[in-house]
């Protein structure tokens, strides 16, 4: 009779011979097979579930007999009767090897399980969070061998989990003795080890075996909006996503005006720091309530933000970022205690990780986009534009990646637009204007119906039609241009010039009436000449930034464009190109990445190794400074026209014919004049 047996694990394919009587969990650990356990093999946690297979396996060269594992035991029976377990499953810590066997580790039993994202073009996240739960049994105190309770807990973690030199703060020490005694020397700890931590630390502990969740927040802290995802640190699931306006807007709409506020008002930076931290606390409370969890179950927060937001979050005066050479106080990543940032609506011991910045104007948000979209692994030349109040732009392929940041202002987020609002139910998000009748139709967030569909009024009764959000204003401006109501210079024509009473005079200019809800007490939603100007400035800054990177890279065209940003997924590629937001490229080569910065934050939250990856990557990204580059101004001016004064758009022209119109401010226009083209 043989003394050992062959054990083959799938899907990893790892195999080895083990002595008869060895628990499957032990064999898995010795082979480095990814099999989870919180209780350390005590039959409590059920994380170690496996599925043995029986019969002939020619592929593996083994036959698995019925008695290949020890019989179903009382621990498994108790677990199955109380909590349920799928037929055919066993607990890896209870089932022992008695013969050659093939064992499948189902995805939910893998520690480093992959979170499959919805879009096939986006990368999956491998779970490897910095914080995890461990159950330990601690030796009782002995008068003859005096040691502290904490020291015996540390020894238990070393012996049972190979965790060395664990630390804890004073507040945890204060709770330690009653918890140990209540749990009769059995406790579960939440253990954290960030990528820069020399030693792991205990963030929390509970008597006995604890199954409560560990959660983390991935926060994209933007100039205009703060967007957060609440993630389960066990499997990466997003339990809730929420956002709110950055309250710092009252100190200045864009980054430079906030830096100016700090410069002009002593203590202004402290005010802005307080405001944003209060907002994050409020957001943490509301997102936890939405997900039905306690805020105390949030143990980690990962931040991505531009350099000014980064400094203001940390309580560092951003004044140096307002003047050349735009020096950051620190560009490296940071690991901090959340309470040091006054983030109190979290677990008291929660940890914060802030992604590294690339340079004084290119922040951790751009780093997060690079982590999410991985331009450095692309074979073709990809332009990634993260549209926000400050656009983060990356251009590159596997040989080189460039980055810049461009001050687009808040127009794309619906701010500084006369009827603008953030993307919320009731906001117009899609617009079409009939080129013949010049009549609009639109869709609002919260309903799939167009405004001329039957049932639209009923469907939008609750939300109302309240304003126009970022993607809505982009479509509106592009549609005005395509319908011949707007000339390449960005002037809206008058009613006589355009033939529609929807173009109404306002002083020396005209506005287009998109929706009149005044009869029902709602707003009149207009696109004004001022709105067009704000969008022109924003899109010119964005386009000029992209062109600058193309100059630096020495290319005239890019192979594909990825639109990212909180509303990046909602921008229609055609409208973005009609507007001249992005360089000419085949429309099917323009894709959306959703909130890539937020995704980068989620990746860093769920996978501690990804933090090392992005810290290494930022050193290889070459940043281009738009603020001091003379060509930026030139590109900016040329980009002011819709779509552009000098760049040809052959790909766009192949699918859209833009009418030749020209209007004069306050005067008669002439139609039929040729558009200027380079
Ligand atoms: S390891 Fe916890 S039940 Fe098996």
């Amino acid at each position: 009779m043989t003394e050992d047996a062959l054990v083959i694990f799938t899907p990893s394919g790892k195999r080895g011979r083990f002595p008869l009587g060895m628990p499957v969990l032990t064999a898995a650990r010795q082979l480095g097979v990814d099999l989870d356990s919180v209780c350390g093999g005590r039959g409590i946690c059920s994380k170690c579930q496996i599925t043995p297979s029986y019969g002939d396996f020619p592929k593996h060269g083994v036959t698995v007999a019925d008695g290949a594992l020890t019989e179903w035991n009382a621990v498994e029976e108790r677990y199955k009767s109380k909590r349920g377990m799928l037929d055919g499953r066993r607990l890896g810590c209870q089932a022992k090897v008695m013969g050659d066997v093939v064992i499948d580790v189902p995805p939910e039993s893998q520690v480093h399980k992959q979170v499959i994202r919805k879009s096939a073009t986006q990368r999956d996240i491998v779970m490897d969070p910095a914080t995890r739960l461990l159950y330990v049994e601690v030796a009782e105190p002995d008068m003859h061998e005096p040691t502290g309770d904490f020291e015996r807990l540390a020894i238990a973690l070393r012996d049972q989990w190979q965790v060395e030199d664990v630390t804890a703060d004073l507040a945890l020490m204060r709770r330690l003795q009653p918890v140990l005694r209540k749990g009769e020397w059995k406790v579960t700890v939440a253990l954290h080890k960030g990528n820069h931590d020399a030693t792991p630390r205990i963030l929390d502990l509970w008597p006995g075996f604890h199954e409560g969740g560990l959660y983390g927040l991935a926060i994209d802290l933007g100039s205009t909006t703060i967007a957060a995802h609440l993630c389960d640190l066990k499997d990466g699931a997003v339990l809730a996503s929420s956002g709110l306006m950055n309250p710092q807007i009252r100190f200045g709409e864009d980054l430079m005006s906030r830096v100016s506020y700090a410069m002009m008002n002593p203590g202004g930076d402290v005010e802005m720091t307080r405001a944003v931290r209060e907002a994050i606390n409020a957001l943490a409370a509301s997102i936890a309530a939405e997900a039905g969890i306690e805020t105390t179950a949030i143990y980690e927060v990962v931040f991505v933000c531009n350099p000014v937001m980064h400094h203001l979050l940390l309580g560092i005066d951003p004044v140096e970022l307002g003047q050349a050479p735009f020096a950051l106080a620190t560009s490296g990543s940071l690991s901090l205690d959340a309470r040091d940032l006054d983030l109190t609506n979290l677990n008291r011991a929660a940890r914060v990780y802030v992604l590294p910045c690339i340079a004084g104007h290119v922040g951790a948000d751009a780093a997060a986009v690079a982590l999410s979209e991985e331009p450095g692994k692309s074979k073709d030349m990809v332009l990634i534009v993260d549209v926000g109040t400050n656009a983060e732009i990356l251009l590159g392929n596997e040989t080189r990646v460039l980055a810049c940041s461009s001050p687009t202002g808040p127009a794309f987020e619906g701010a500084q637009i006369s009827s603008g609002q953030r993307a919320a139910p009731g906001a117009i998000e899609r617009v079409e204007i009939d080129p013949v009748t010049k009549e609009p139709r639109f869709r609002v967030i919260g309903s799939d119906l167009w405004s001329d569909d039957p049932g639209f009024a009923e469907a939008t009764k609750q939300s109302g039609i309240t304003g126009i959000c970022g993607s809505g204003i982009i479509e509106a401006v592009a549609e005005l241009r395509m319908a011949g109501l707007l000339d390449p210079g960005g002037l809206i024509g008058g009613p006589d010039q355009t033939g529609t009473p929807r173009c109404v005079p306002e002083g020396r200019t005209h506005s287009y009436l998109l929706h009149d809800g005044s009869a029902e007490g709602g707003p009149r939603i207009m696109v004004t000449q001022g709105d067009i100007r704000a969008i022109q400035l924003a899109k010119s800054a964005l386009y000029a930034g992209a062109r600058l990177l193309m100059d630096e890279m020495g290319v005239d065209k890019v192979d594909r464009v990825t639109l990212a940003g909180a509303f990046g997924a909602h921008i229609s590629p055609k409208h973005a190109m009609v507007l001249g937001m992005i360089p000419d490229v085949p429309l099917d080569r323009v894709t959306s990445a959703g909130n890539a910065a937020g995704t980068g934050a989620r990746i860093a939250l769920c996978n501690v190794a990804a933090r090392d990856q992005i810290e290494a990557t930022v050193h290889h990204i070459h940043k281009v400074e738009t603020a001091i580059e003379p060509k930026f101004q030139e590109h900016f001016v040329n980009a002011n026209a819709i779509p552009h004064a000098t760049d040809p758009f052959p790909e766009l022209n192949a699918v859209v014919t833009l009418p030749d119109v020209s209007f004069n401010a306050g005067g008669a226009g002439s139609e039929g004049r040729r558009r200027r083209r380079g």
Side-chain angles (χ1 to χ4, degrees), residues 1-5 18-20:
M1 179 180 158
T2 51
E3 292 299 307
D4 61 13
F18 295 94
L20 300 188

Side-chain angles (χ1 to χ4, degrees), residues 25 37 39-48 91 93:
L25 177 65
S37 162
C39 73
R42 294 182 178 84
I44 307 173
C45 71
S46 85
K47 302 285 184 207
C48 63
L91 291 181
C93 61

Side-chain angles (χ1 to χ4, degrees), residues 12-245:
S12 66
K14 288 183 177 164
R15 55 165 65 203
R17 299 200 73 85
F18 295 94
L20 300 188
M22 177 178 277
V24 171
L25 177 65
T26 312
R29 287 209 173 140
Q30 290 188 6
L31 284 175
V33 168
D34 192 12
L35 179 57
D36 202 357
S37 162
V38 168
C39 73
R42 294 182 178 84
I44 307 173
C45 71
S46 85
K47 302 285 184 207
C48 63
Q49 291 187 30
I50 48 136
T51 310
S53 301
Y54 298 94
D56 278 337
F57 294 89
K59 184 175 140 206
H60 297 304
V62 290
T63 298
V64 181
D66 284 349
L69 295 179
T70 47
E71 294 209 338
W72 180 254
N73 73 12
V75 173
E76 292 171 297
E77 183 57 38
R78 191 181 63 226
Y79 189 87
K80 183 165 181 167
S81 64
K82 280 195 169 163
R83 310 287 295 271
M85 191 156 56
L86 291 177
D87 287 343
R89 288 276 176 89
R90 300 286 307 266
L91 291 181
C93 61
Q94 300 301 313
K96 299 189 176 88
V97 177
M98 298 305 288
D100 294 351
V101 66
V102 175
I103 286 173
D104 186 56
V105 180
E108 60 271 28
S109 298
Q110 295 170 15
V111 184
H112 305 299
K113 50 185 87 61
Q114 288 212 335
V115 181
I116 309 297
R117 291 170 62 191
K118 288 198 185 95
S119 161
T121 58
Q122 295 174 335
R123 59 178 282 187
D124 301 332
I125 301 174
V126 177
M127 288 307 293
D128 184 15
T131 308
R132 56 178 302 208
L133 290 176
L134 298 176
Y135 170 85
V136 275
E137 295 182 2
V138 181
E140 294 187 28
D142 179 344
M143 260 199 307
H144 303 294
E145 283 181 47
T147 50
D149 284 351
F150 180 74
E151 285 66 32
R152 269 176 282 107
L153 171 59
I155 289 168
L157 281 165
R158 185 195 65 198
D159 293 348
Q160 292 163 38
W161 290 103
Q162 295 74 50
V163 173
E164 301 278 353
D165 302 326
V166 60
T167 58
D169 67 9
L170 184 57
L172 190 120
M173 296 289 181
R174 289 189 184 117
R175 293 175 46 218
L176 178 63
Q177 295 202 306
V179 171
L180 276 171
R181 281 152 186 82
K182 186 170 177 199
E184 297 175 341
W185 307 98
K186 300 176 183 69
V187 290
T188 306
V189 300
L191 195 78
H192 174 90
K193 190 165 187 295
N195 62 329
H196 290 298
D197 297 335
T199 57
R201 74 172 75 195
I202 300 173
L203 300 185
D204 209 345
L205 85 170
W206 300 265
F209 178 68
H210 174 78
E211 277 194 294
L214 299 179
Y215 303 97
L217 284 174
I219 299 185
D220 177 9
L221 172 54
S223 323
T224 305
T225 48
I226 308 174
H229 298 299
L230 179 72
C231 301
D232 189 328
L233 294 179
K234 177 172 76 273
D235 56 14
V238 178
L239 272 67
S241 297
S242 189
L244 45 75
M245 296 298 270

Side-chain angles (χ1 to χ4, degrees), residues 317-376:
D317 190 338
V319 60
E320 290 301 329
L321 298 172
Q323 56 208 11
F326 313 109
L328 290 151
T330 173
S331 60
S333 66
L334 292 162
S335 294
L336 310 157
D337 281 322
R339 58 179 178 267
D340 287 347
L341 300 181
D342 302 328
L343 301 181
T344 49
N345 273 350
L346 308 169
N347 184 274
R348 194 202 49 78
R351 298 285 296 166
V352 164
Y353 176 78
V354 186
L355 267 75
C357 291
I358 296 173
H361 274 166
V362 188
D365 44 2
V369 173
L371 179 61
S372 167
E373 296 305 307
E374 300 188 306

Side-chain angles (χ1 to χ4, degrees), residues 606-655:
C606 294
N607 184 316
V608 77
R611 302 179 188 181
D612 289 329
Q613 183 193 332
I614 191 58
E615 288 167 22
T617 302
V618 291
H619 294 300
H620 300 296
I621 297 177
H622 177 75
K623 69 104 197 186
V624 175
E625 184 53 74
T626 52
I628 53 165
E629 188 60 59
K631 281 281 262 181
F632 181 82
Q633 201 54 32
E634 189 183 315
H635 287 315
F636 182 86
V637 171
N638 285 332
N640 214 254
I642 299 174
H644 193 278
T646 56
D647 275 352
F649 276 75
E651 299 286 356
L652 176 64
N653 289 340
V655 284

